[in-house]
Amino acid sequence: MVGIDFGKPLFTREEIQRKIQEIGSRVSTDYADKDLIAVGVLKGALFFMSDLLRSLRISVRMDFIHCTSSATKGKDGNPVRMLCDMKEDIKDKHVLLIEDIMDSGVTIDYLKKMLLARGPASLKVCVLLDKSDRRQVPIEADYAGFRIPNKYVVGYGLDYNELYRNLRFVG
Ligand code: IMP
Ligand code: MG
């Protein structure tokens, strides 16, 4: 990835870090007296989750789900293909699902239903980016960093054909 020019970043490294401090502060307050398990959706949530959890003032467990979302439903009728499920038992635990972006909402809607069936004490959703105009299912994130228009973005975990995830900004 040499010589790539994304022009002006949509969100700079500093803007992203400031926003994460804000969200981290809210999460720390909201879960001050609760046992929290943060569940990151790989691969996109990797950097966001890493920075967000390190901004918290409370102790937290972490786990991961690896899945891919397809525009068309797979053979099994699922819009989301699970590549690897989480390890922790979430029954009666407070769960925060962390994703890079909510677009149509289909992925998070699917994961929420899957996790709710396991009987957590609570389940909230945290995303860095929110393309709210694109929603196909009625769902909102409990914590959302930035609302963005319907443009394809990369960087800070988000990819285009598996590239550009390692950019420190969103472009
Ligand atoms: P949803 O199920 O439509 O909400 O899609 C969510 C998934 O689509 C995210 O986890 C991303 O992996 C991917 N996605 C949606 N919009 C973008 C984008 O602008 N850039 C990179 N990935 C995106
Ligand atoms: Mg993703």
Side-chain angles (χ1 to χ4, degrees), residues 41-45 67-69 99-101 107 157-159 165:
V41 183
L42 295 172
K43 302 169 203 167
C67 69
T68 54
S69 29
E99 239 300 39
D100 50 2
I101 188 167
T107 305
L158 294 141
D159 74 306
R165 290 191 196 275

Side-chain angles (χ1 to χ4, degrees), residues 50-104:
S50 158
D51 286 338
L52 179 67
L53 295 199
R54 285 179 297 171
S55 81
L56 298 183
R57 290 177 271 104
I58 54 169
S59 52
V60 59
R61 269 175 246 277
M62 61 174 157
D63 207 337
F64 300 93
I65 286 172
H66 190 185
C67 69
T68 54
S69 29
S70 47
T72 51
K73 288 189 179 180
K75 264 186 237 142
D76 53 3
N78 287 332
V80 174
R81 194 156 70 93
M82 289 294 293
L83 301 176
C84 186
D85 201 345
M86 60 184 293
K87 299 287 180 299
E88 298 255 356
D89 179 5
I90 59 168
K91 179 137 181 57
D92 300 326
K93 305 276 171 56
H94 295 279
V95 177
L96 182 63
L97 186 63
I98 302 180
E99 239 300 39
D100 50 2
I101 188 167
M102 194 187 283
D103 184 20
S104 70

